[in-house]
Amino acid sequence: MGIYKIISAKGRGSFSERLNELCATVGEWLCEERAHNRKLIYVKVFLSDAQNQYQQLVESELFQESFANAGVTIVEQPPVDGSKISLLLNTDETDNGMVLHSMRLADNETNGANSYIQTMMLFEKYIKWMEEHGLKMDTHLVRTWIYVADIDVNYAGMVRARNDIFKRYGLSPDTHFIASTGIGGYCETRSACVAIDFLTYPGIEESDKTYLKALDHLNPTHEYGVAFERGTRLSLPDCQKFYISGTASIDKHGHVIYLGDVLRQEARLLENIGALLKDGGATMADVKYFIVYLRDISDYDVVEKFLTAAYPDVPHVIVQGKVCRPEWLIEMECVAEKSD
C-alpha cells in the first residue's frame, strides 16, 4: 500500500528560500522511502500565486531532482497556513500502471474560449490519447480533478461540457460516471478558465471498480444536473483503493445543509465521506489524507482545530478553493486504502 505525505514550507522567507527548504526536506524523506523500496509515484503542488511561482518551481532543484520521474500536477490553490507552497506526495513499491495527465491549455489555444469550449478541448485531448493507446474512457479513467477559475461564473459551462462529453461516449446514470472534484483553482495559463487532471489505470477491467453511493446520506449527482460519481473503489493486485470525490454538506435530497455554519458543514461532510467508505467496505480509519477546500480563509482556525482533533493521525492540507455552490463553505476529498 502507498504512503502519503503532506509537506509545507515552514519558513517565511522568499519563494526561492521556501523551495530550497522543501528540496532538503523532500530529498531526505524520499531517501528514507527508497530504503523501504518505495518510489515517488505522484506529487500534487499547491501554489499561492501560479503566475509568479510556476516557472521558478519547474526550474528549481526540487522539481528537477525530486519530481522528474513522478506524475506531477500543479494548481494555484493557496495553502491557508501561509506557506506559499504545499506538497502532497505519494510513494509506493509499484504504481500499478497508473498514468496521470495534468492537462492545461496554452494562451494561444484558449483564444477567448469560454469554460464550455475549454472543457471540451481538454477532454478531447485526453480522449485522443486514450484512443491512440487502445483505452476506453468508461473503463480506464478512474478519477478527474477539474479546476475552474472564477468558479461562480465558469462552473456552469464546465458542467454542460462534461455532461455532453459523457453522453457522447456512453456514460450515463444507467452506466456510471467518473469520480471527480470540480473546484475553484487556477493554472499557470493566464487566459485559462479550466484545467483538468485525469487519472488513468490502463490495466484494469470494469469489474475492478465499484461505485459508492450512500443513498441514505447523499443523492445521485445527476438529480441536480451534474455527472460524477461520489466515490469509486478500485481493486488492485495489492490493495483496494478508494477515491472519494469532493464532498460537501449535502443531504439525501441534494440540499445544502447548515447554511453559514462552517463547523457543522465540516462535521456533516465527514459523516458523508464515512458513509461512502462504508458502502465500499472501508472506514475512516482507512483514510490516508484529506484535502480541504475553504471558500473563506478566515475559517481556517476553526476547521483546522476540528479536523486535527477528530483525525490527528491523518495528514491534511487546507487550501483556498471555492466550492461550486456559494452556500458551501467547505469541501473535502480523500483517498483510502485497504489491504486485500
Side-chain angles (χ1 to χ4, degrees):
M1 293 202 302
I3 301 296
Y4 296 86
K5 181 81 168 178
I6 290 171
I7 301 177
S8 299
K10 295 180 179 179
R12 291 299 180 262
S14 67
F15 186 67
S16 177
E17 290 170 332
R18 300 185 200 207
L19 286 176
N20 290 336
E21 174 199 325
L22 287 177
C23 186
T25 305
V26 170
E28 181 178 341
W29 182 70
L30 290 178
C31 184
E32 295 173 358
E33 289 297 285
R34 286 192 292 270
H36 292 90
N37 297 316
R38 291 189 291 262
K39 62 181 180 179
L40 186 63
I41 305 297
Y42 168 83
V43 184
K44 186 163 192 173
V45 183
F46 303 93
L47 295 178
S48 61
D49 181 2
Q51 292 298 309
N52 288 299
Q53 296 166 349
Y54 176 83
Q55 197 61 37
Q56 193 172 354
L57 169 66
V58 298
E59 293 175 355
S60 68
E61 182 180 353
L62 169 68
F63 192 93
Q64 297 293 326
E65 297 295 329
S66 295
F67 302 163
N69 297 313
V72 182
T73 181
I74 302 168
V75 60
E76 180 184 314
Q77 288 176 328
V80 187
D81 63 0
S83 61
K84 285 187 181 288
I85 175 171
S86 292
L87 310 172
L88 167 61
L89 305 106
N90 169 216
T91 60
D92 207 334
E93 294 181 4
T94 175
D95 61 9
N96 288 297
M98 182 192 83
V99 179
L100 175 73
H101 286 88
S102 182
M103 291 198 165
R104 310 291 188 258
L105 296 172
D107 279 315
N108 62 0
E109 293 179 294
T110 58
N111 293 320
N114 60 24
S115 60
Y116 179 92
I117 297 299
Q118 290 191 24
T119 304
M120 296 291 282
M121 292 170 66
L122 289 163
F123 265 98
E124 292 293 359
K125 282 175 177 279
Y126 174 71
I127 291 166
K128 181 180 179 181
W129 174 85
M130 295 205 86
E131 291 174 345
E132 290 173 349
H133 290 79
L135 304 176
K136 297 175 62 178
M137 182 167 62
D138 60 344
T139 300
H140 300 106
L141 176 60
V142 172
R143 181 73 159 89
T144 65
W145 292 262
I146 305 180
Y147 311 107
V148 184
D150 196 3
I151 193 170
D152 293 338
V153 174
N154 290 318
Y155 183 73
M158 180 278 288
V159 167
R160 289 196 306 273
R162 179 174 59 182
N163 289 351
D164 289 350
I165 284 283
F166 285 175
K167 183 177 180 180
R168 182 191 308 173
Y169 288 91
L171 280 72
S172 73
D174 296 325
T175 60
H176 67 84
F177 295 119
I178 308 297
S180 185
T181 299
I183 196 74
Y186 297 80
C187 69
E188 69 276 10
T189 304
R190 188 170 302 182
S191 58
C193 53
V194 181
I196 307 179
D197 295 337
F198 298 89
L199 189 66
T200 311
Y201 282 85
I204 65 171
E205 305 289 342
E206 184 60 29
S207 58
D208 295 323
K209 295 183 292 181
T210 300
Y211 302 99
L212 310 178
K213 303 298 183 185
L215 296 179
D216 56 339
H217 280 71
L218 306 102
N219 68 325
T221 62
H222 69 85
E223 291 185 356
Y224 53 92
V226 294
F228 71 95
E229 294 294 335
R230 299 288 188 187
T232 300
R233 185 187 73 193
L234 181 61
S235 295
L236 296 168
D238 60 340
C239 71
Q240 291 183 345
K241 187 169 288 192
F242 299 77
Y243 290 101
I244 302 300
S245 300
T247 303
S249 180
I250 190 171
D251 66 15
K252 64 182 181 180
H253 305 293
H255 300 145
V256 181
I257 52 177
Y258 305 128
L259 295 175
D261 190 330
V262 70
L263 192 56
R264 295 184 75 188
Q265 287 195 16
E266 182 177 14
R268 174 62 191 214
L269 73 84
L270 286 165
E271 180 183 335
N272 288 346
I273 288 174
L276 289 167
L277 290 171
K278 182 180 179 181
D279 189 53
T283 71
M284 296 297 276
D286 300 308
V287 172
K288 299 302 180 183
Y289 68 83
F290 292 110
I291 299 176
V292 185
Y293 303 100
L294 288 185
R295 183 176 185 89
D296 183 350
I297 62 173
S298 67
D299 288 326
Y300 169 70
D301 287 341
V302 65
V303 167
E304 167 73 14
K305 182 178 180 180
F306 181 94
L307 190 59
T308 300
Y311 299 99
D313 299 323
V314 181
H316 67 267
V317 60
I318 303 178
V319 299
Q320 184 173 26
K322 291 186 177 181
V323 189
C324 59
R325 297 193 207 179
E327 297 87 355
W328 275 324
L329 305 177
I330 183 172
E331 179 170 303
M332 288 192 205
E333 64 175 70
C334 68
V335 161
E337 291 187 6
K338 284 187 68 176
S339 298
D340 284 335

